Amino acid sequence: MRNLLVVDDERNIRLGLKAMIERRYSGRFSIMTAEQGQEAWELMKETPIDIVMTDIRMPVMDGIALINRIHESERKPLVIILSGHDEFAYAKEAIRCEVKQYLLKPIVREELFGTLERLDKELDRREDLSQKLRESERQSEDYRQSVLNLVLLNPAMSGGEMRSRLLDAGLAWMDQGYQIALLKPLQQVSGLQPQAGEGLFARMMAGFEGQGEYEQAVFQDKDGRPVLISSSRELSRFVSDYALDQQFPMFRIGISEWCEGMENMKEAYGQAAKALKYSFLQPNPGAVEYVCMKGREEPAAIPLPSVQKIANMLGSDREKEMKSLLYEIMDLKVVARYDISYLEKLASALNEQVFDKVFHMYGEESIEILKLYKKVGHIYNYEHYHDYLHGVESLLMRLNEYIKTMKAAHVDRREMQRALDYIQVNYQRDLNMAMVANHISLSYTYFSESFKQFTGDSFPHYLKKVRIDNAKRLLETTDDKVYEIGRLTGFENTKHFNRVFKELEGVTPQEYRSQRRVLGEV
């Protein structure tokens, strides 16, 4: 539906034209009215208008002033002049302002309808052309993005092939010099669509207009991070200033040195990526320039013995010593003195020598620890160095408690097995739980709970089963009297032996022996 605005200071004409058009083109035009140019102009600022039909002579702002404003505006609706005066001065101004039709009052119905039909088709052609232009620009932009990523992702691409592809993508201006800025949103906005980052660069550079002539290209790298290539020598200053603004608190930016020659694009991108890594050491979001970071000391040998000491202390009661050693090897003043690769190697050593070994040896303890383990596994999963250090400390303390629990459980299993072995050797004695607990040096209460958890049975019932199993063996393999077997297996009298045997086996000891003999087993 087209938006059509009728501007005339005579109410009857406005309403008459509105009714005439709505009867002929039901549902085709949305018709609005205004009684003078200023009112029409204010309405046009709020609502996009496709066609304006305006009178010439009106109070406040006449039709000539209105069509001049329309002519100077960015979005230009098609204009039809309505006038009761066939004057050359008006016609001349209408031509200058690209007015599409000059209709004399009283309006001839067929002439008006013919004009609207023609203008509707012209709007269709405009929209079709605009759509084709947008599609062409989108295809051109998509092609440029694919070329830029192809260059970055292909380490074997020769300088000649790189130049050829970048020239085809319309980036010849890079030979005159450029800088690259790489942007990373903080995790608070990690759900942000990649296009939003590109839009941020676009808004940033829009504010840079008026700072001289420059070219630029914006695309996404393989990780979805927005990349800006700009020919402006003021890029570093402008981006750094912009990054400090309150409207820009959720991003970090790495900026390369000034580079010349499109064949150096990968090197410049690498500089921006490395500068972005250094932003990890800064307490606040903002921009980091590679020129300020290069020349850092080459990484010293990382303190592997100290890392190994931390691994050895896990599961002990030396938490304070372990934390102290961690903060000593992760001292930011030391880490920041070296190239960023020092920190990356140190983090890798902690992963391999401490965390990975624990999980390999003891397995996964809980979902919470597993999540933390996976996050700590990559330092850039964190916004800032101190966040990472806190994550490492938290994981160490959790693993320390976990290993202590695992070691205690291992000790308990060993002690419980000693208890079972003792029962097997001494079941025929007047044995009770206190004697066994004392034998393995555990408290009565703790032994009772641990014994049931380990065997799935209470101590008295377990002892009964051991004695009956041995009684069955003697019934099957000897000719000893039933009362003798009861005594040999720890029962105080034959009545007690018979009752317990029948309780567990369903038959008396004598019946059990008789059955085995009938079956030929004895």
Side-chain angles (χ1 to χ4, degrees):
M1 183 179 288
R2 307 288 189 200
N3 287 335
L4 189 153
L5 176 59
V6 177
V7 190
D8 198 297
D9 58 340
E10 294 188 35
R11 183 173 183 273
N12 289 340
I13 292 179
R14 293 197 306 272
L15 297 180
L17 286 170
K18 186 175 186 293
M20 186 189 306
I21 296 169
E22 285 178 341
R23 282 196 299 271
R24 177 63 179 264
Y25 301 105
S26 177
R28 191 166 168 183
F29 292 98
S30 173
I31 303 174
M32 289 158 275
T33 62
E35 63 177 309
Q36 42 88 2
Q38 186 62 44
E39 181 186 346
W41 181 249
E42 294 300 324
L43 193 153
M44 290 172 64
K45 288 194 290 187
E46 297 178 0
T47 306
I49 302 297
D50 298 300
I51 300 173
V52 174
M53 301 174 60
T54 181
D55 189 13
I56 294 292
R57 294 183 177 179
M58 297 179 292
V60 185
M61 180 190 290
D62 63 19
I64 295 299
L66 176 61
I67 65 174
N68 273 285
R69 284 206 181 179
I70 292 173
H71 183 64
E72 294 167 0
S73 66
E74 185 175 344
R75 191 181 189 281
K76 297 181 177 64
L78 303 182
V79 178
I80 303 171
I81 284 182
L82 310 173
S83 178
H85 305 275
D86 186 8
E87 298 182 18
F88 177 73
Y90 293 163
K92 182 179 178 182
E93 194 65 19
I95 292 170
R96 191 187 71 79
C97 293
E98 301 176 354
V99 172
K100 296 299 179 180
Q101 188 68 43
Y102 194 110
L103 299 178
L104 291 175
K105 297 177 182 178
I107 301 300
V108 178
R109 185 187 303 266
E110 289 71 20
E111 189 176 2
L112 171 63
F113 293 157
T115 299
L116 290 177
E117 293 285 354
R118 179 171 58 81
L119 296 190
D120 192 41
K121 290 178 181 178
E122 182 173 339
L123 287 169
D124 284 339
R125 288 193 298 273
R126 274 191 183 185
E127 290 167 359
D128 183 55
L129 179 59
S130 178
Q131 177 63 31
K132 287 179 179 178
L133 286 173
R134 285 196 298 271
E135 184 63 30
S136 175
E137 289 173 358
R138 185 161 52 249
Q139 290 176 355
S140 177
E141 183 62 28
D142 289 346
Y143 175 70
R144 184 164 65 177
Q145 290 215 19
S146 66
V147 167
L148 288 166
N149 271 297
L150 178 64
V151 168
L152 292 180
L153 293 173
N154 192 340
M157 183 179 290
S158 67
E161 183 182 357
M162 188 188 305
R163 290 188 62 81
S164 175
R165 289 185 178 275
L166 292 175
L167 285 170
D168 285 345
L171 296 166
W173 53 265
M174 289 176 63
D175 267 344
Q176 305 305 313
Y178 56 92
Q179 281 183 292
I180 292 182
L182 179 61
L183 182 148
K184 177 189 175 185
L186 300 190
Q187 289 182 10
Q188 296 96 307
V189 289
S190 59
L192 193 72
Q193 294 297 315
Q195 293 80 1
E198 292 185 38
L200 180 71
F201 267 143
R203 292 196 303 275
M204 183 190 303
M205 298 315 294
F208 198 43
E209 290 179 0
Q211 303 294 320
E213 294 292 329
Y214 65 92
E215 299 282 353
Q216 67 180 52
V218 179
F219 68 103
Q220 297 168 39
D221 68 5
K222 63 180 179 61
D223 298 316
R225 298 176 301 188
V227 183
L228 169 66
I229 308 175
S230 174
S231 66
S232 171
R233 286 185 174 272
E234 297 296 319
L235 177 69
S236 295
R237 178 189 62 78
F238 186 78
V239 170
S240 297
D241 291 346
Y242 195 92
L244 294 174
D245 194 280
Q246 290 300 313
Q247 63 179 313
F248 193 70
M250 308 300 281
F251 296 84
R252 297 185 185 276
I253 298 180
I255 305 173
S256 74
E257 291 185 288
W258 180 258
C259 294
E260 293 182 356
M262 58 182 69
E263 65 275 9
N264 294 317
M265 176 190 160
K266 284 193 282 190
E267 180 184 350
Y269 172 82
Q271 291 177 357
K274 193 163 189 177
L276 186 60
K277 286 183 177 181
Y278 278 105
S279 70
F280 179 70
L281 302 177
Q282 292 191 162
N284 299 310
V288 176
E289 297 181 53
Y290 178 77
V291 69
C292 299
M293 299 297 149
K294 71 174 185 176
R296 295 283 177 99
E297 293 182 40
E298 286 301 313
I302 61 173
L304 281 176
S306 296
V307 173
Q308 189 58 55
K309 283 182 182 179
I310 290 175
N312 294 338
M313 283 189 278
L314 280 172
S316 67
D317 292 318
R318 299 165 68 183
E319 289 91 346
K320 288 185 179 180
E321 187 177 346
M322 188 161 49
K323 284 184 181 181
S324 177
L325 189 54
L326 174 66
Y327 276 84
E328 179 184 323
I329 67 174
M330 300 289 287
D331 186 347
L332 182 56
K333 292 180 181 178
V334 176
V335 169
R337 190 168 66 236
Y338 297 115
D339 185 88
I340 195 71
S341 58
Y342 175 82
L343 174 60
E344 293 171 337
K345 290 177 181 177
L346 185 56
S348 179
L350 285 168
N351 291 336
E352 295 171 5
Q353 301 299 319
V354 182
F355 306 132
D356 293 350
K357 282 188 176 181
V358 169
F359 277 83
H360 178 72
M361 182 178 299
Y362 294 97
E364 298 170 2
E365 191 273 349
S366 69
I367 295 298
E368 291 74 20
I369 287 185
L370 183 59
K371 286 180 179 179
L372 186 55
Y373 165 65
K374 289 183 176 180
K375 186 172 184 180
V376 167
H378 197 310
I379 61 174
Y380 300 116
N381 284 335
Y382 292 85
E383 304 293 7
H384 181 257
Y385 176 77
H386 290 304
D387 298 331
Y388 167 69
L389 181 54
H390 177 73
V392 171
E393 179 186 347
S394 179
L395 181 57
L396 276 176
M397 293 303 103
R398 290 193 182 197
L399 291 178
N400 186 58
E401 291 302 315
Y402 171 52
I403 294 171
K404 283 199 289 188
T405 302
M406 293 295 290
K407 285 181 176 179
H410 178 72
V411 170
D412 285 351
R413 284 195 295 270
R414 186 176 62 199
E415 296 307 318
M416 286 302 105
Q417 190 57 54
R418 284 181 59 208
L420 299 187
D421 292 342
Y422 183 78
I423 293 170
Q424 286 291 346
V425 172
N426 297 282
Y427 67 88
Q428 72 277 16
R429 295 172 54 190
D430 185 15
L431 201 62
N432 58 49
M433 189 164 63
M435 293 169 62
V436 180
N438 185 61
H439 175 73
I440 62 173
S441 302
L442 290 178
S443 71
Y444 182 90
T445 303
Y446 182 77
F447 175 76
S448 176
E449 294 176 356
S450 298
F451 187 89
K452 189 168 185 178
Q453 186 176 23
F454 186 72
T455 64
D457 216 341
S458 67
F459 179 85
H461 194 259
Y462 183 85
L463 180 58
K464 285 179 183 180
K465 290 195 296 184
V466 170
R467 285 172 169 171
I468 295 302
D469 285 344
N470 279 280
K472 286 162 60 178
R473 177 179 55 80
L474 293 174
L475 287 167
E476 295 170 6
T477 60
T478 73
D479 292 325
D480 294 345
K481 302 295 184 183
V482 168
Y483 74 87
E484 292 176 337
I485 291 175
R487 178 177 53 79
L488 290 172
T489 53
F491 290 96
E492 58 189 30
N493 55 57
T494 304
K495 183 179 179 180
H496 183 218
F497 175 46
N498 285 335
R499 180 174 60 78
V500 172
F501 196 100
K502 189 172 184 179
E503 176 188 317
L504 295 182
E505 299 297 327
V507 294
T508 65
Q510 187 60 53
E511 288 171 336
Y512 180 84
R513 174 177 272 177
S514 298
Q515 287 175 354
R516 292 299 181 270
R517 285 179 175 174
V518 169
L519 295 171
E521 295 180 5
V522 178

